Amino acid sequence: MIPPQVAADAPRGERQLFSKLRDDPMTRDWLVLHSFDIRRHVVRAEGEADMLIIAPGLGVLCIEVKGCNVVREGGLWKYSYDPPKTTTVGPFRQASQAAHSIRQYLSHKDPSLGSILFHSAVLFTEIDFADKSLEWEPWQIIGRTDFFRQPISTVVTRALEAAHSQCRARRPIPTWYGNQSRPTARQLESMLRLLRPDFEYIASTRNNVELAEEAIRRFTEEQFDALDHLEDNRRVIFKGPAGTGKTFLAIEAARRAVLDGRSVALLCFNGLLGAWLRRETAAIRDEAEERSIPFFTGNLSGLMRQVAGADVPATADSRFWEIELPERAVETLLDDSRETPTFDLLLVDEAQDLLSDPFLDVMELLLSGGLASGRWAMFGDFERQAIYADNRANTGLERLQSRTADSISTYRLRINCRNATRIAEAVTITCGLSPGYSRILSTTDSADVEPVFYRSTTHQAEVLLATIAKLLKSFAPAEIVVLSMRSDASSCVSRLDREQDSWQFNSYREMPEGGASVRYASVHAFKGLEAPAIVLTDIEGVDDEQAKALLYVGMSRARVRLHVFMHERLRSGYDAMVDAGLKAALKRNH
C-alpha cells in the first residue's frame, strides 16, 4: 500500500477498500497506489485514480469508488454527496480515462510496459448497481454485496481475468496483447519507480523539527483503523503505552460522532490536558453548536463542578476532588427536578486515572444507557502511567468490568507514532516497558538519550541553562518544556531568574500556548501532553514503582529531543535499570 495509510478524511468507501486490499492475505505481493493524481490526463488537464492495483500475473486495474446513491437522468450522472454533484462524465468513463492516462505515461517512459493489460472497474460501496449498457461491461461493476461478502482479491482477479478473456476474444486480437500482458514482479518495481518513486532531501535541523511536527498527525492517521473497531463495538478499551496515538484517536472519535449527530463528552483527569483538548476540539465544538448537539471537552472535575454548581473551597484537598465533588455531582444527576446533561458517547482519555468508583458513578449517570449498555471508549496506558493513585489502573479495570458484565471489547495499540526512534528506544529500555512497541513510525533523527548526572542544585541549574542554550539553536522557546519530578515551587527552574538574555521562563499553566517563553511544569501536571523538546529535571530516585512511573511519563513526553538530569547518587541504580531493560529487550527479540 503506497502510501501505507489512508487519510482520516478520505471518503468512507475508499477507506473500506484500502483496508480490504491491505488485509487480504492473497494480495500480499500486489502493489496498490491510492489517491493517485494524474497530471498528464488523456482528456482533462488533470485527474485522479482512487485506487490503482498492480497484480503480478494478472494485470493493472484502476478502480473508481462511489460511496453514495447514483442517478443518471438525461445523460447526466447525479451523486448524493453533500453537496450533491452532477456531471456528464460517468464513473466508468472516469476509471477508463484514468487507466489509459497511466498506461500511456508508463509506455512512453518504458516501452516494455506497453503490452501489459490495463483495465478499469467501478466500486459501489452503498448500492448494488445492476444497470446494463454498451458503455461498460457487467464485470466492470463491483456492487455492495460482492464487495462485502467476497475477498477483494477474488473480486479483482475476476475482473482482470474477464478483461483478458475479452482481449483474446476480439477479432483481430489487439496488437499489443500477448504473452507479455501479465506484469512480472520486476515490472511491478519498474512501475513503482516511475509512478511514485521514493526520494530524500536533506534539510536543516530546524526544517527537520518542523517536518517531525507535521508527521505526528500523519503517523497517527495509521492508527485510525482502530476506530473502525469502535463502530462495531459499543464499549471498547483501547490499551497502549505512551506515544501510541490514544489522545488523537479520542479526538477523531469525537469528530466522527458529532458528524453522525451524536452528543459527546470527551473527558480526562488532568487540568492542563483538559485545556489542551478544548483548544484542539474547537472546530468540533463549533460544528456541534451549529447543529445543536451537546458537546463537552475537558477534565471530569470541570464537568462535575458545572453539573453540581460547586465552588472550590480554598482548603480543597484530594478528598474534595476525588470523593466530595463526585458525590455532589451524583446527587444533582439523580435529581429529576434539575436539568442535567447526558451524552450518547463517552470518551475518556488517560482513563487509567479516572476508574475509581466515585468517578465511575458520575460517568454512569452522564452516559445515555449507562456504562453497561451505553456507547463509550476508554483510552489508557494501564501498564505504567497510573501515577495519581496506587493500583488505580489495575483495580479500576476490574471495577469497570464488574459494572458491564464483561461486555467490553479490548483493542491493543502498540505502534509508536510520537517519539523519535532513539527516544522511544530509551523509554523502552530505561523504563522496562514490556511488551515494547511493535513498531516505531518516526524516522526523525535525534541525539542519543544519555542522562546528565548533576552533583548539586547549583550544578543542575548550570547544566540546565547550558542545555537550553543549545536547544534554542534548533527549537523555538515555546517548543521547549522543562519538566520536574517535583512541584513547580520546588523545581530546579524555581531557583533561576525568570528573565534570561533573549527569552524567559514561564509556567505552563500561565502560558499554555507558548510565545517567547521556555515553559516549565511538573511531570504530574504535564501528563497526557507532549512537546518537541523535553528537559526532565530533579530526578532524585528511581527505585520505587512511583518514581519509575514518573520517569516513564516524563521521558515519553518528548517528540524530537530529550535530555534527562539525574542526581549523581543514582548512577549505579540507573545502570542497573538499563541493564535489566536491555536483557528484557533481548529476551523479547528472541
Side-chain angles (χ1 to χ4, degrees):
M1 307 300 295
I2 307 291
Q5 64 268 352
V6 66
D9 59 353
R12 178 182 173 85
E14 291 182 29
R15 288 187 283 114
Q16 290 172 330
L17 177 57
F18 177 94
S19 297
K20 287 177 76 73
L21 283 165
R22 181 196 59 198
D23 298 336
D24 190 328
M26 300 305 293
T27 66
R28 193 169 302 142
D29 60 345
W30 293 11
L31 171 66
V32 178
L33 307 179
H34 58 94
S35 303
F36 188 79
D37 292 326
I38 303 171
R39 300 303 175 191
R40 299 184 185 180
H41 200 274
V42 293
V43 176
R44 297 184 295 280
E46 60 184 53
E48 182 188 54
D50 290 338
M51 209 72 68
L52 184 69
I53 302 169
I54 305 172
L58 289 171
V60 181
L61 189 67
C62 185
I63 296 183
E64 176 72 19
V65 182
K66 295 300 179 189
C68 61
N69 294 327
V70 178
V71 173
R72 187 166 72 170
E73 189 174 65
L76 295 176
W77 290 82
K78 300 179 180 181
Y79 305 110
S80 61
Y81 294 123
D82 185 14
K85 180 180 178 181
T86 300
T87 177
T88 58
V89 181
F92 295 96
R93 196 192 309 175
Q94 278 182 275
S96 176
Q97 290 174 351
H100 283 302
S101 300
I102 296 168
R103 180 179 186 275
Q104 188 177 90
Y105 173 78
L106 288 173
S107 300
H108 175 73
K109 291 290 186 180
D110 183 351
S112 70
L113 302 176
S115 60
I116 291 174
L117 175 77
F118 279 74
H119 227 292
S120 58
V122 178
L123 166 63
F124 298 92
T125 61
E126 301 296 326
I127 59 174
D128 277 320
F129 187 89
D131 268 46
K132 296 179 180 180
S133 172
L134 287 175
E135 298 177 76
W136 58 83
E137 299 288 349
W139 50 263
Q140 289 183 280
I141 301 170
I142 305 173
R144 183 180 185 277
T145 299
D146 282 350
F147 179 60
F148 285 108
R149 292 185 181 179
Q150 297 189 37
I152 193 62
S153 56
T154 300
V155 174
V156 171
T157 299
R158 185 172 60 207
L160 286 171
E161 290 293 2
H164 280 291
S165 297
Q166 184 188 67
C167 288
R168 290 193 299 268
R170 285 181 182 172
R171 291 295 178 267
I173 295 177
T175 55
W176 57 266
Y177 186 80
N179 295 332
Q180 307 301 316
S181 61
R182 297 173 183 263
T184 64
R186 180 174 296 180
Q187 287 175 316
L188 181 147
E189 294 296 330
S190 178
M191 283 188 272
L192 176 58
R193 285 194 299 272
L194 290 170
L195 293 174
R196 269 191 176 156
D198 289 336
F199 52 81
E200 178 178 3
Y201 288 83
I202 304 301
S204 67
T205 303
R206 177 64 217 159
N207 285 342
N208 280 337
V209 172
E210 292 171 353
L211 289 172
E213 291 299 278
E214 292 173 6
I216 293 297
R217 290 181 187 274
R218 293 203 307 274
F219 289 160
T220 307
E221 286 174 3
E222 184 162 303
Q223 313 293 71
F224 285 172
D225 286 342
L227 294 179
D228 292 336
H229 188 78
L230 182 57
E231 292 182 11
D232 298 328
N233 297 274
R234 294 179 61 84
R235 291 167 290 282
V236 185
I237 293 175
F238 291 92
K239 292 183 175 182
T244 50
K246 298 183 295 296
T247 299
F248 284 106
L249 286 175
I251 292 173
E252 175 65 8
R255 185 186 70 84
R256 293 183 182 188
V258 168
L259 290 177
D260 287 342
R262 296 200 297 268
S263 57
V264 181
L266 171 53
L267 306 174
C268 64
F269 180 89
N270 192 330
L272 289 183
L273 176 58
W276 182 88
L277 284 171
R278 283 192 293 274
R279 293 193 297 274
E280 287 293 306
T281 57
I284 305 174
R285 183 166 53 253
D286 291 344
E287 173 76 16
E289 289 177 358
E290 190 174 313
R291 299 171 61 182
S292 300
I293 298 172
F295 182 78
F296 178 89
T297 308
N299 63 334
L300 179 59
S301 296
L303 181 54
M304 290 191 296
R305 288 177 58 196
Q306 179 179 310
V307 167
D311 294 325
V312 180
T315 58
D317 55 11
S318 60
R319 176 176 174 76
F320 170 80
W321 293 108
E322 298 185 11
I323 298 177
E324 294 176 12
L325 182 58
E327 287 178 350
R328 292 172 65 175
V330 166
E331 289 175 5
T332 305
L333 290 166
L334 289 172
D335 188 347
D336 292 336
S337 66
R338 300 180 64 172
E339 186 175 339
T340 55
T342 56
F343 300 93
D344 300 323
L345 175 64
L346 182 68
L347 302 168
V348 184
D349 191 28
E350 299 289 334
Q352 69 276 1
D353 300 318
L354 282 173
L355 299 184
S356 67
D357 276 323
F359 291 152
L360 289 172
D361 290 341
V362 175
M363 288 186 267
E364 176 80 36
L365 296 172
L366 286 171
L367 180 61
S368 178
L371 293 173
S373 302
R375 182 179 288 274
W376 54 258
M378 307 275 180
F379 301 82
D381 182 350
F382 299 93
E383 298 161 7
R384 301 302 302 269
Q385 284 201 59
I387 63 175
Y388 291 106
D390 294 339
N391 298 321
R392 176 176 290 172
N394 295 331
T395 57
L397 281 178
E398 294 172 3
R399 294 189 193 102
L400 182 61
Q401 289 167 343
S402 68
R403 290 171 180 248
T404 58
D406 292 327
S407 60
I408 303 174
S409 175
T410 299
Y411 193 101
R412 297 187 181 277
L413 300 164
R414 283 288 164 189
I415 301 174
N416 185 304
C417 52
R418 173 196 294 164
N419 310 114
T421 302
R422 292 179 182 177
I423 295 174
E425 291 172 347
V427 170
T428 301
I429 293 171
T430 302
C431 303
L433 187 61
S434 180
Y437 299 108
S438 63
R439 192 150 48 103
I440 300 169
L441 293 183
S442 176
T443 57
T444 305
D445 188 29
S446 174
D448 288 334
V449 180
E450 291 292 339
V452 171
F453 293 98
Y454 58 88
R455 299 182 298 275
S456 64
T457 300
T458 302
H459 182 214
Q460 180 179 210
E462 293 171 353
V463 174
L464 175 58
L465 291 176
T467 299
I468 292 175
K470 290 180 181 178
L471 286 172
L472 287 171
K473 295 178 181 179
S474 302
F475 297 84
E479 295 174 322
I480 304 170
V481 176
V482 181
L483 295 182
S484 174
M485 307 288 267
R486 301 172 177 171
S487 66
D488 288 358
S490 58
S491 68
C492 175
V493 172
S494 68
R495 302 180 182 89
L496 298 171
D497 291 334
R498 288 282 190 102
E499 299 290 336
Q500 298 295 318
D501 292 338
S502 58
W503 54 275
Q504 60 184 357
F505 282 114
N506 266 305
S507 167
Y508 201 95
R509 296 180 187 277
E510 297 170 4
M511 298 191 68
E513 295 183 356
S517 299
V518 171
R519 296 165 294 170
Y520 64 92
S522 68
V523 173
H524 276 89
F526 202 71
K527 188 172 186 290
L529 298 171
E530 55 192 53
I534 292 288
V535 184
L536 185 56
T537 66
D538 299 314
I539 303 174
E540 301 281 338
V542 292
D543 296 331
D544 61 90
E545 289 303 313
Q546 182 75 352
K548 290 178 181 177
L550 275 174
L551 180 65
Y552 167 70
V553 171
M555 292 179 67
S556 60
R557 302 305 97 194
R559 293 200 289 262
V560 182
R561 196 69 55 81
L562 172 64
H563 295 270
V564 178
F565 295 172
M566 290 185 175
H567 196 280
E568 174 67 32
R569 65 173 175 270
L570 301 182
R571 190 184 293 271
S572 60
Y574 172 79
D575 290 343
M577 284 176 58
V578 171
D579 287 343
L582 285 170
K583 289 177 181 177
L586 288 171
K587 185 176 181 180
R588 285 195 303 272
N589 292 338
H590 286 295

